[in-house]
Amino acid sequence: MTDVARVRREPPRFRRARVVTVEDVTPHLRRVRLAGDELRGMEPGLPGASVRLLVPDGPDTPVTLPEWSGNDFRAADGAKAPIRTLTPVDPDPVAGHLTLDVVRHDAGLLTPWADATGPGSEVAVSGTGRGYTVDPEAEAHLLAGDETALPALRQVLAATPDDVPVRLLAEVRSPEARVAFPDRPGLEIHW
């Protein structure tokens, strides 16, 4: 028997952008707003859809786009490209804006980037990926996630009909990590 490499469908192309602003939303959550002409027309996808962020080596390092290998993205030297998946906050394909909420951890690839990046830094994103179809006939919805899922929870919540009860369970590491959700009838939030 021979091993057959699985070939996956190629994801959307990478689009270059620049960091416009960086702000701390909570002690552990940094919001990075991107803008660029190549972000125009990038479909926001279904609620909770994700983008792939090509994590630059540093804030002043030019971005070199990776190549699709049939299974993943690879850098020119053959190494797996440094990519992380995030759900954007309020994507605007008309204006060419995309905002990412990065949860800062003690370790990992995204935290050093989020700590060092600033206005003018170059990035690249590919997207969008999978999202969620909200059943308009459901009698109630249960949404659950941790700090990294807060943007997806917000988008899915916004897509649920206003007259349907929603229980939202959000796991955060401390009370300071809580974020505001839009007030609406029938929303019950448990932190």
Side-chain angles (χ1 to χ4, degrees), residues 5-50:
R6 185 178 92 163
V7 177
R8 297 173 21 195
R9 182 184 66 204
E10 185 171 353
R13 69 179 175 88
F14 274 95
R15 298 164 184 254
R16 294 177 185 273
R18 294 223 176 253
V19 174
V20 179
T21 60
V22 177
E23 70 173 302
D24 290 331
V25 177
T26 74
H28 307 289
L29 185 69
R30 181 158 283 181
R31 182 163 288 158
V32 181
R33 185 177 172 101
L34 310 177
D37 288 338
E38 290 187 26
L39 296 179
R40 294 182 197 277
M42 188 168 91
E43 290 298 320
L46 293 170
S50 61

Side-chain angles (χ1 to χ4, degrees), residues 3 18 23 32 41 53-54 63 87 91 95 105 110-111 114 118 120 127 131 135 166 169 171:
D3 289 331
R18 294 223 176 253
E23 70 173 302
V32 181
L53 172 69
L54 177 63
V63 171
T87 298
H105 300 281
L110 272 179
T111 298
D135 182 356
V166 177
L169 309 175
E171 181 182 14

Side-chain angles (χ1 to χ4, degrees), residues 66-117:
E67 295 289 325
W68 180 247
S69 72
N71 193 37
D72 57 13
F73 283 102
R74 296 283 169 168
D77 64 1
K80 191 171 181 178
I83 295 171
R84 291 298 180 263
T85 304
L86 301 152
T87 298
V89 178
D90 303 324
D92 186 343
V94 174
H97 295 160
L98 190 69
T99 303
L100 303 173
D101 280 354
V102 179
V103 177
R104 295 158 63 207
H105 300 281
D106 293 334
L109 185 63
L110 272 179
T111 298
W113 172 77
D115 287 345
T117 198

